[in-house]
Amino acid sequence: MSVGRDERQRHLPAGRKAQLAAYVAESGQVTVGELAERFGVSIDTVRRDLDQLAAEGILVRTYGGAVSLSTVSRATDRAVDQRLAVQEQEKEKIAALAASLVQDGSTIMINGGTTTLALARSLGQHRDLTVATNNLLVPGALPPTAVRDIYIFGGAVRALTLATIGPVSFRANTGAELDISCDLALIGVGAVAADAGYTTSNLAEAAMMQEMISRAARVAILADSSKFGRRLFAQVSELGAADYLITDTAPPPDLRDALKASGVELLTPTAKALTPRQA
């Protein structure tokens, strides 16, 4: 039985990976099982191919599959339930690192987003925390044993992200605004770039994140590697406004150099500290 040229090429590693990458780009989001069946190879082979393509920056690896770069680019403006599946394992790693910065008995601010939601779930070993957030999913995700008090910032609800949009403030019964601050602000952003700093897609959310940063003694930015080298609509701050950038892998050289020059400590699962700051 003769085998066509396209069929022979499909079973060569380089050819298979090229077709696999094209299929992911066309489909947007795929599972490992779907790819194994389509290309006639084992699940382990597909996993290795996806890992290599992700390392080459061709697609984004997710738990159980992969998504195209164009899908990730749209993820900031997609509903929370859709964004939860993107970079899931990376977010869990970031969350664990971010939780290590939180001190028992401290006050923290957490903004909207799925990475910060993963952080909330990772605080089970902590105690006596005061948490202020605009993320409507955070109160239910926080381990009850970790929390002393939870406060939700008021304002309009952005249904797409399940977060409130409004001032980072609370008022006394008399109507007077209360002065508030926190020990650590944990801020998830939509993009990180050497020239643009930290950006997000929504103007009102950017303003709220700016205010959280201004009220914090320390600031940790949470961003997975799919957000490197991108710029979205509204700037949250320049790089140097943060004490830490917590991510899943080392940034590209230009961003790494810019972080170092700005005095930002880089935290990843395998490496720590570009320019450490005192906590």
Side-chain angles (χ1 to χ4, degrees):
M1 180 175 111
S2 63
V3 179
R5 182 178 182 277
D6 288 344
E7 182 69 12
R8 289 196 305 271
Q9 179 71 358
R10 184 171 70 85
H11 289 286
L12 293 171
R16 182 184 66 245
K17 282 186 288 188
Q19 292 191 24
L20 188 153
Y23 181 72
V24 174
E26 180 182 351
S27 302
Q29 184 168 350
V30 296
T31 65
V32 169
E34 176 187 351
L35 293 172
E37 181 177 355
R38 179 175 181 83
F39 291 94
V41 295
S42 71
I43 285 178
D44 285 343
T45 297
V46 171
R47 285 173 177 156
R48 286 193 295 269
D49 287 351
L50 292 179
D51 288 343
Q52 183 172 343
L53 289 168
E56 294 170 359
I58 295 172
L59 50 75
V60 175
R61 193 78 161 85
T62 64
Y63 182 76
V67 295
S68 67
L69 293 178
S70 61
T71 298
V72 173
S73 296
R74 297 190 301 268
T76 305
D77 291 319
R78 299 178 77 184
V80 170
D81 59 346
Q82 294 173 301
R83 290 188 288 124
L84 283 169
V86 178
Q87 296 286 82
E88 185 175 9
Q89 291 179 311
E90 288 79 2
K91 290 172 183 176
E92 293 298 329
K93 294 176 183 177
I94 292 167
L97 279 174
S100 71
L101 295 178
V102 178
Q103 299 176 355
D104 287 353
S106 64
T107 299
I108 61 175
M109 289 186 189
I110 303 174
N111 76 315
T114 53
T115 306
T116 48
L117 180 61
L119 160 69
R121 294 180 179 133
S122 298
L123 294 172
Q125 300 303 312
H126 290 74
R127 296 292 181 270
D128 205 29
L129 299 177
T130 297
V131 180
T133 183
N134 71 323
N135 190 331
L136 297 179
L137 296 176
V138 159
L142 285 165
T145 56
V147 180
R148 178 178 61 206
D149 294 302
I150 304 174
Y151 298 96
I152 300 291
F153 295 116
V157 174
R158 192 173 184 226
L160 193 69
T161 58
L162 292 179
T164 60
I165 300 295
V168 180
S169 63
F170 298 100
R171 293 189 177 275
N173 291 336
T174 60
E177 185 174 315
L178 299 171
D179 185 30
I180 63 171
S181 61
C182 69
D183 299 299
L184 177 65
L186 299 133
I187 307 296
V189 300
V192 184
D195 55 347
Y198 313 112
T199 57
T200 191
S201 62
N202 183 270
L203 192 63
E205 285 188 341
M208 203 166 185
M209 292 151 72
Q210 284 179 357
E211 192 171 355
M212 288 184 185
I213 289 172
S214 72
R215 293 181 179 272
R218 293 184 298 149
V219 177
I221 299 294
L222 284 57
D224 66 69
S225 54
S226 70
K227 299 171 182 177
F228 292 160
R230 299 171 54 211
R231 177 170 187 162
L232 298 179
F233 175 61
Q235 186 186 52
V236 176
S237 72
E238 297 181 348
L239 293 178
D243 297 277
Y244 312 96
L245 172 63
I246 309 175
T247 187
D248 56 291
T249 191
D254 66 324
L255 178 54
R256 188 170 63 247
D257 292 345
L259 289 165
K260 184 175 181 179
S262 299
V264 181
E265 183 174 351
L266 178 67
L267 300 180
T268 69
T270 56
K272 290 187 178 182
L274 284 178
T275 317
R277 290 181 178 180
Q278 293 295 325

